[in-house]
Amino acid sequence: MSEFVDLETQDGVRMTWNTFPGTKQEALSCVIPVAAMYTPLKPIPDTPVLPYSPLRCRICRSILNPFSVVDYVAKIWVCPFCFQRNHFPQHYMSISEENLPAELFPQYTTIEYASSPDTGPKMPSVFLFVVDTCLIEEEIMFLKSALSQAIELLPENSLVGLITFGTYVQVHELGFGHMPKSYVFKGSKEITKEQLLEQMCFFAGRPRPNVGVIAGPRDGLSPESIARFLLPASECEFVLNSVLEELPRDPWPVPADQRASRCTSTALSIAASLLGLCVPGSGARIMAFVGGPSTQGSGSIVSKNLSEPIRSHKDLDKGAAALYNKAVKFYEALSKQLVHQGHVLDLFACALDQVGVAELKVVVERTGGIVVLAESFGHSVFKDSLRRIFQSTDYDLGLAFNGVFEVNCSKDVKVQGIIGPCASLEKKGPLCAETVVGQGNTTAWKMCGLDKKTSLCLIFEIARKDGPESISQHTSNQFYFQFLTYYQHSDGQMRLRVTTLSRRWVTGSADVQDLLAGFDQEAAAAVMARLVSLKMEIEVFNNSPDETAYYRMILNRENVANAVVMIQPSLISYSFHSSPEPVLLDVTAIAADRILLLDSYFSVVVFHGASIAQWRNSGYQNQPEHETFAYLLKAPREEADAIMKERFPVPRLVVCDQHGSQARFLLVKLNPSVTYNSNNPPPPGGDILFTDDVSLEVFLDHLQRLAVQ
Amino acid sequence: MESASPFASGPPRQRPAMVSNPTSVVQTPLIGRSMAPSSSVPLPSPFGSALPGFSRPAATPLASRPPPPGAIPQGPIAGNGPRIPGFTAPRTLPPPSVQPAPPSAASSSIRPPTPYASATQDSGLQSYPGSPPSGASVATLPMPFVGPPASQQFGRPPTSQPLFSGPPRSQPPFAGAQYLQRPMAGSTNSQLPLAGPPTSQSPFLGPPTSQPPFTGPPTSQPPRPNTPQPPFAGLPTPQQFGGPSTQTLTGPPISQFVGPPTSQPYAGRSSSPSQMATPSSQPFSMPPTVGTSFGSPVWPSQPGQMVPSLPGNVQAPPRMFGMPPGMPGQPIPPVLPAMGHSALAGPQVSTQSKIDPNQIPRPLPNSSITIFETRQGNQANVPPVCIQSIFVVKDNGNCSPRLMRCTLNQIPCTGDLLSTSSMPFALMVQPLALPHPSDDPIPVVDFGESGPVRCSRCKSYINAFMRFIDHGRTFVCNLCGFTNETPRDYLCNLGPDGRRRDADERLELCKGTVEFVATREYMVRDPMPAVFFFLIDVSLNAIQTGATAAACSAISQSLADLPDGPRTMVGIATFDCSIHFYNLRRASQQPLMLIVPDIHDVYTPLHTDVVVPLTECRQSVEQLLESIPSLFENNKVSDSAFGAAIKAGFLALKPTGGKLLVFQSVLPSVGIGSLSSREAEGRTNASAGDKEAHKLLQPADKTLKTMAIEFAEYQVCVDIFITAQTFVDIASISVVPGTTGGQVYYYYPFSALSDPGKLYNDLRWNLSRPQGFEAVMRVRCSQGLQVQEYAGSFCKRIPTDIDLPAIDCEKTIMVTFKHDDKFQENSECAFQCALLYTTVYGERRIRVINLSLPCTSMLTNLFRTADLDTQFACILKQAASSIPVNSLSQVREQITNLCINILHAYRKFCATVSSSGQLILPEALKLLPLYTLALVKSIGLRNDGRFDDRSYWASHVMSLSISLAVPLVYPRMISIHDLTAKENDGSLSSSNIPLSSEHINDDGIYLLENGEDCLIYVGNMVNPDTLQKLFGVTSVDGLPTQLVLQQFDNDLSEKLSDVMNEIRQQRCSYLRLRLCKKGDPSGMHFMSYMIEDKTAGGLSYVEFLVHVHRQIQTKMA
């Protein structure tokens, strides 16, 4: 397994099969599809950033890479994908075996190119805050303080805008010095980009160009008119803070039997249009802070009447959620718009209720946005996550914008699609498989937002028909992939990352061992998880549609390791008897003298056994003679902190004691091998689960029986 | 229960003084400021202390005057006061202008009066004579009036007449007839109220302007003249003439005209004429001499005498005139020759030349105060001519004529009779009209929880004319005739006279106008608070022309005039191509601007805090107003979303209702109700002879109308202040105020230098004048008549009622009637107007205004009691409403024909005796031709006007009060270069100059005002010293085109300030000043007001008379 991790470290890629089944038929019988989990911006130490443009194959446009065969004498390189012979251009003339350009170094299978100043200016990143005001006073205070902290952390050169919404949408004109000023739009009415252009007086006093799409300064918008709404953070911090400080709750009265009138979709649509007008094609994020269900506008998820419950999975199954489809349709259109503009939607949904994440999922996912779900704006999951986005530390997210991802493969390997935070650019080619999975039928994808950990799952299809003959035709059974990622770096620079990989085919029963040796079980689990969640919208247990959507969105952007944690939480035991060790995710792992650390991705639980808790409550850890106990207590906390530092969204930290109410966060994840009605009593200090669920053992027995039959 | 206060709630609030900003006060430039201190203070009292006022006149410092608005009524009064010796001297002034008139005649004429006087005394008026002489206090006067029962007098007049005729002084011929009648009139002084007595003396006056004799006297003294009148009181007799108080214009008639002219000036008010006579008798006699030398001090003395003022009498006199018919026969003939009317006689002859332009009828100002009793001897009195007349109303069962008056003071028994007369039949209702301070207050009556007693069939309110029978157990409704049971707790025995014993204690049973406290039953919700929402245009044009700054400043200063109290709310929004609301109630004090950009689907951005209580947020409102001009100083948006803005303002007001005050500078070009610049195409079409040009006076579409109806439904009233430089399509815009009880103010072309003063004063008056909200009005009438139509600014959703989101003291509603049955000869026809409204202090009231008039089957009675002012207002409104529908030439023809038809009817049925060569004018209507001519030449009916001007005119006219109707088309002109030379206390009205270029001299400076605009015309030979004194420049060329009057430290300038202030008070309007120079386009503009002149498109006055005469003769033949 570690070899796979090594490969990942080098290129950010993990594949289900590192040795490919040789034919389509064989691939099919492998059940687990040939797939790759690729983390385009994974930080790879020592990756050079080349300050020049890449050299491309004349025919297939693939980029010069270490796998290219170079004729140093003739100054020719052969494209490994199409076998085209390309001449080196003039400035490569000094090339020789001793004098190689970086892109030909064998260890630089992943390399970056940066745009030179003349190929493109640095573009400031744009943050447009879209803030819900239909909140109770307490929540709005939490939100304000979180936002004002975030504003302090904004990069100085980034542009900032503010939209608030409730019954109405208010677009704040932060550039108006005299008094707080905002444009107010009706929440129940959709408004197009054209109307916005008209209504926000972008052409005040000047004739409006009569043709073409109007967007951005290049098409006639004056920088001044844009600067009314999007200002450098350094310039508008004061105004922004004062507006936020006085931000009132939505002033419209809400009858006792009704939900607040909240027009989330209209606000987002206006935000999208505003960005589309002002900064099309340059990196920008809409950061939406939503504190409740949308009840107004095309994206509403429930009526205002409180007697009508918010849709559940059951309603969705039965088709009883009338608003759901309409909302999804609306958000699909919005996602197209945002993708077209290259902008991201980030969603911070903090409410005890559902807010419509399920409907919004399509936008967030297609644009590569961040999503954080918490129960309150005061909750650390939200506050810490928000801070993480802007904080520049070792653990920063490395937010990048406006990415385009392209794939190039050798013949006979086709791409079915990508499952992950991206949107098809509908660039069709011979590489596209007929079967489509996720965002398919293209060889290029838009990734409006991506970060260091964003991982794509590419599903391949082996197109080679027959075995022996075809193999024999080729002297080599090597073949290649090239992943190209164009993106706007968080510093504003445009970059291109190129990863070129080589794998080999095996075919026939003789090589089954080879095949098995190349099987990456973890990657397979992660890929299958994405595939299953893509195909299966039902059979969801115990979650609301919002939660389901949330978990899946996170799953679909995480790398293999984290996906595995999500699938099977890790459980580590701390005790006096041994150094920290992983233990089975089973109820039997509980013991009175143990501390358990559960990492289930979304939450991290530190669980003190009954005795440990007792000792701790007695304050032993404070006594010098019990220093080891203090250490024991501290160790899992430190580990938990380490996990939390690295993870985004920041997980919920639960510190609990055996038999405490919070212990449920651990218990729910454990295999119920011992329940209230099992025959074997728990060991002393152990625990039992009050559940009728079957244990893993029973499940496996059943599975075996089915498999055999 | 009975509170005297005119406005139920309101007495407290005083009218805002129209502060003249610039003129009077030093600060001039600043609009609002001037107002403040001095002026305002005095004002409040104005009404209350009528008498005091008199004495004051002299004392009042000019500068401060501004306050006047409130004071307005007083102004005139003051004039009367002059009596005081000291004062008299000063007053002399006015006359001067008159001078031109033939002195000789004057002298002669004057004397006659005296004789009259004696005559009058005979009639029993004696008391008058006595009183006048004393010249004593006004108070005395009233008495006299009372004394003379009109009826009795009637009989006598005839007798007297001869005398008069004899006297007919100079103009004699003409005068003769008229005078006789006039004498009565003379007594009537009433007319003049404002004008200053001078006019009243009319005998002279009548002529004053035109004819020398009269002129002489009239002009100056006006106020004083009153004294003389008393004698007239006797006049009442005139009424007897009853018949046709016509004046014959025929050849001789002309002469008659002359006579009439003097008195009549004030329309129907025979009073003037009478005054003439009477006054002439005594005072006049004096004047006559003076006449020649108007300037001469003589007048002053007279005034003192004149004082008499017999308002009441005045009326009577008119009737006297009626006599003319008879009169004409005798006196006239002789006259005719003199006049050289032959021309007239011979229809065909273009005798114009023969008509002496100085002899034809013209309005005569009258400055005396009269007392008008609405009923006497259980009969309705004919109300005084209102133009420039001052009268005090004693409510004896009929309402004050200020509140409601009828075109006919006797009701024709049948529809046929009415149509034979051709006269219009309508009521003018001005339900909240400003009272004279000495008027009987309108009592407030509270019936407790049961509410006012009403007829159970027709729902009319209990009033003095409901007849209690059967020992008081039942009462008969005077409107529908239904017999109702008297409510148990309202029972009262009847006295021997058949009246309830408590009739005199119960004000609803003895007063013509009462206000009932409304019960819950009359409310669909709690009475609304006073809410004012200001909408300010901040588009490029508005900012650059200074209109925005002017509006903000005006609003800011006007805040102080809003009703006090926690219930007063204000809101502010601005707009260009979007609408900007302001949240004024915020923790941080700083307002928050909220922009509503969707101008096709408008909404308010906030639920609360768009409209805030003034007391809590005054400071932030003021700050905001101060900062608005700078907030938008770089605004580049030239579009205006007017329609959307008012819709947004409406939405803000929807929960409460209220007043929406809009300041608009450009054509609404975008959003809901946007309009196109259709004037340009209209102009092209018009030049191409397009007959559809009048369609540009119709609203462009129904959008605004639909909106306006919705506004009205939610009690939102819209007033629009248009500060434009270009076409804004008032035809379309004015629909909104026209439907919501609001009005249009028009400042074109807006000048940041000279207009802010008027803008501020207009706004201030708009906010502080007596007014009511969420009103519903209905007029009921006796069986036999039915209401045909209402006209004015209101919204009508059901046939019987009109909805008035707001109603103020100036809004007048015309109600027309038609017969659906016959009346008995001796019955009375009753009218009852009920106005349910909420005061600015949140009290719900029902104002019930009753008028009961005798019915007649005699055409002569109809003509004798015709009310010219009211009729003319009616004709004016009808003309205004037909210009969008018919071509201008058609409308002019209609009006002219109406005049001809009326006169023809009179000629045919009431003056058959006269020779066919004579043009006979009914005394009461003798000014009809003049007014008709003026109307035909008015802005609204002229071909050369801009469409916006015409639309504005039409919208302005629709709710115009009677007292402002005549001046609008027949402006007042006075000379100002010689103000100091006039012996007068500063009351201007005496010196009216006929609107003819003959009276304009190159070395003169003239002021002409029509209640809206004030033109100051400077001849090209004016004495530099005069220029220096008045304008601070030494040459005509040095005069600025945009005039801001400043007061300089010299008599003349102070005098001018006084005059301006007096006019402003009188008109309740600040007046837009415009300087006109001879030889300049502005001079041409001024000349266009000289309606007696022959113009390219119209006849001269004399020609018009000839034309009318010919037409009548043609018809007769």
Side-chain angles (χ1 to χ4, degrees), chain B residues 740-797:
Chain B
T740 58
Q743 74 189 84
V744 177
Y745 296 84
Y746 190 37
Y747 310 85
Y748 172 89
F750 179 78
S751 152
L753 180 64
S754 53
D755 283 333
K758 176 160 164 61
L759 182 67
Y760 165 48
N761 282 285
D762 285 347
L763 177 64
R764 184 165 186 238
W765 179 235
N766 181 298
L767 297 174
S768 57
R769 62 192 171 183
Q771 56 194 302
F773 305 125
E774 50 182 354
V776 181
M777 190 184 107
R778 174 188 290 196
V779 172
R780 295 180 173 85
C781 54
S782 289
Q783 264 182 335
L785 285 183
Q786 65 184 54
V787 172
Q788 188 170 24
E789 205 183 358
Y790 293 91
S793 291
F794 54 76
C795 176
K796 194 165 164 193
R797 278 195 296 272

Side-chain angles (χ1 to χ4, degrees), chain A residues 168 170 172-173 176-186 189 198-201 204-206 246 251-253, chain B residues 577 582 586 588 590-598 601-607 624 627 630-631 636-637:
Chain A
Y168 288 110
Q170 295 191 24
H172 296 263
E173 185 175 327
F176 189 73
H178 304 278
M179 62 170 67
K181 173 178 177 183
S182 59
Y183 286 78
V184 185
F185 296 87
K186 211 176 201 170
K189 190 178 176 185
E198 191 75 33
Q199 298 184 2
M200 307 253 284
C201 299
R206 289 182 303 124
E246 294 191 22
W252 296 81
Chain B
C577 68
Y582 299 87
R586 302 210 317 148
S588 74
Q590 194 180 25
L592 167 68
M593 189 194 296
L594 297 163
I595 299 175
V596 173
D598 189 344
D601 177 16
V602 189
Y603 39 89
T604 55
L606 285 176
H607 175 63
L624 174 61
S627 58
S630 58
L631 286 183
K636 297 284 183 296
V637 180

Side-chain angles (χ1 to χ4, degrees), chain A residues 632-683:
Chain A
L632 181 66
L633 275 182
K634 217 161 66 177
R637 291 297 297 272
E638 281 171 352
E639 179 63 18
D641 286 346
I643 293 170
M644 295 182 43
K645 246 184 226 165
E646 214 172 332
R647 189 163 295 159
F648 186 91
V650 177
R652 164 197 287 255
L653 175 65
V654 179
V655 179
C656 60
D657 299 336
Q658 194 177 3
H659 309 310
S661 69
Q662 298 287 297
R664 66 183 191 278
F665 285 97
L666 172 67
L667 299 183
V668 75
K669 298 289 182 188
L670 298 181
N671 177 35
S673 60
V674 183
T675 67
Y676 68 96
N677 62 357
S678 42
N679 299 324
N680 48 337

Side-chain angles (χ1 to χ4, degrees), chain B residues 99-167:
Chain B
Q99 303 165 354
S104 64
S107 63
S108 65
S109 63
I110 296 173
R111 294 176 183 172
T114 43
Y116 298 118
S118 63
T120 55
Q121 296 176 352
D122 298 347
S123 58
L125 299 179
Q126 308 159 355
S127 61
Y128 296 103
S131 60
S134 63
S137 63
V138 178
T140 55
L141 301 177
M143 310 281 294
F145 298 105
V146 179
S151 64
Q152 302 175 352
Q153 301 172 351
F154 289 26
R156 301 165 186 178
T159 60
S160 64
Q161 297 175 353
L163 300 179
F164 296 88
S165 62

Side-chain angles (χ1 to χ4, degrees), chain B residues 559-592:
Chain B
L559 291 178
D561 295 304
L562 293 175
D564 287 333
R567 280 170 62 87
T568 301
M569 321 264 284
V570 294
I572 292 174
T574 54
F575 66 100
D576 44 34
C577 68
S578 52
I579 302 139
H580 325 119
F581 282 91
Y582 299 87
N583 179 350
L584 295 167
R585 183 148 60 177
R586 302 210 317 148
S588 74
Q589 290 297 319
Q590 194 180 25
L592 167 68

Side-chain angles (χ1 to χ4, degrees), chain A residues 162-364:
Chain A
L162 175 66
I163 291 178
T164 56
F165 70 94
T167 308
Y168 288 110
V169 180
Q170 295 191 24
V171 181
H172 296 263
E173 185 175 327
L174 301 175
F176 189 73
H178 304 278
M179 62 170 67
K181 173 178 177 183
S182 59
Y183 286 78
V184 185
F185 296 87
K186 211 176 201 170
S188 54
K189 190 178 176 185
E190 272 184 57
I191 180 166
T192 65
K193 205 152 86 173
E194 282 300 298
Q195 287 171 325
L196 204 64
L197 189 67
E198 191 75 33
Q199 298 184 2
M200 307 253 284
C201 299
F202 277 105
F203 285 100
R206 289 182 303 124
R208 185 194 158 154
N210 8 346
V211 284
V213 180
I214 294 166
R218 279 166 303 179
D219 297 316
L221 284 197
S222 67
E224 302 81 53
S225 66
I226 292 172
R228 293 185 296 157
F229 304 103
L230 300 176
L231 274 79
S234 52
E235 286 177 31
C236 71
E237 190 180 330
F238 176 77
V239 181
L240 197 55
N241 269 321
S242 67
V243 169
L244 282 175
E245 217 165 87
E246 294 191 22
L247 191 66
R249 295 177 54 197
D250 187 61
W252 296 81
V254 182
D257 61 344
Q258 299 216 330
R259 296 186 173 91
S261 169
R262 183 185 280 111
C263 60
T264 318
S265 58
T266 314
L268 294 177
S269 166
I270 288 174
S273 296
L274 183 63
L275 291 180
L277 289 173
C278 296
V279 288
S282 104
R285 330 184 65 94
I286 296 169
M287 308 187 85
F289 301 84
V290 184
S294 173
T295 55
Q296 235 199 121
S298 309
S300 61
I301 63 163
V302 66
S303 79
K304 284 182 200 161
N305 202 330
L306 272 176
S307 64
E308 182 187 316
I310 299 183
R311 78 275 178 288
S312 66
H313 277 295
K314 208 187 241 175
D315 296 325
L316 296 182
D317 289 348
K318 290 190 298 189
L323 294 171
Y324 178 80
N325 290 333
K326 188 182 162 214
V328 169
K329 204 171 155 199
F330 171 83
Y331 285 122
E332 267 170 2
L334 183 64
S335 71
K336 280 196 183 124
Q337 181 186 346
L338 283 173
V339 166
H340 178 71
Q341 295 168 185
H343 299 148
V344 192
L345 173 66
D346 297 330
L347 177 61
F348 300 85
C350 298
L352 292 170
D353 229 344
Q354 298 189 64
V355 306
V357 179
E359 287 83 353
L360 276 160
K361 178 182 172 206
V362 60
V363 195
V364 176

